[in-house]
Amino acid sequence: MNNISKERTALKLTQETLAADLGWRQSRLSNYEVGIRKPGLVDCRRIVEALNRAGASCTLDSVFPPSTGRQGTTPTQKDRD
């Protein structure tokens, strides 16, 4: 999950306002916030930059926290079943 909504609402920005700053439709930002879609690295960086332009003091890791799962490990046969 990400913290786009948390950072955006702390700044009292609407989805429409932040999306417009990014040149996107509101629905795209909404899909990222609720996890329907996952932004790529370039879009993650653009979101953080837009939030910081609006007055936030956030980082890539604070908006998109690293996963604490088993990412990067090789799945075992049991994991595949």
Side-chain angles (χ1 to χ4, degrees), residues 10-78:
L11 294 168
K12 298 184 178 7
L13 294 175
T14 64
Q15 287 180 340
E16 292 85 1
T17 303
L18 182 57
D21 183 47
L22 291 161
W24 299 342
R25 292 182 181 201
Q26 173 272 332
S27 59
R28 180 177 179 177
L29 184 61
S30 175
N31 287 340
Y32 289 156
E33 285 187 1
V34 298
I36 293 172
R37 293 179 61 189
K38 294 185 189 230
L41 181 58
V42 170
D43 286 339
C44 289
R45 287 182 174 155
R46 289 186 65 209
I47 292 166
V48 170
E49 289 169 0
L51 290 167
N52 287 335
R53 277 194 307 272
S57 182
C58 55
T59 65
L60 191 61
D61 282 349
S62 69
V63 179
F64 301 96
S67 174
T68 57
R70 293 180 43 184
Q71 185 175 355
T73 61
T74 305
T76 64
Q77 184 62 40
K78 183 179 175 184

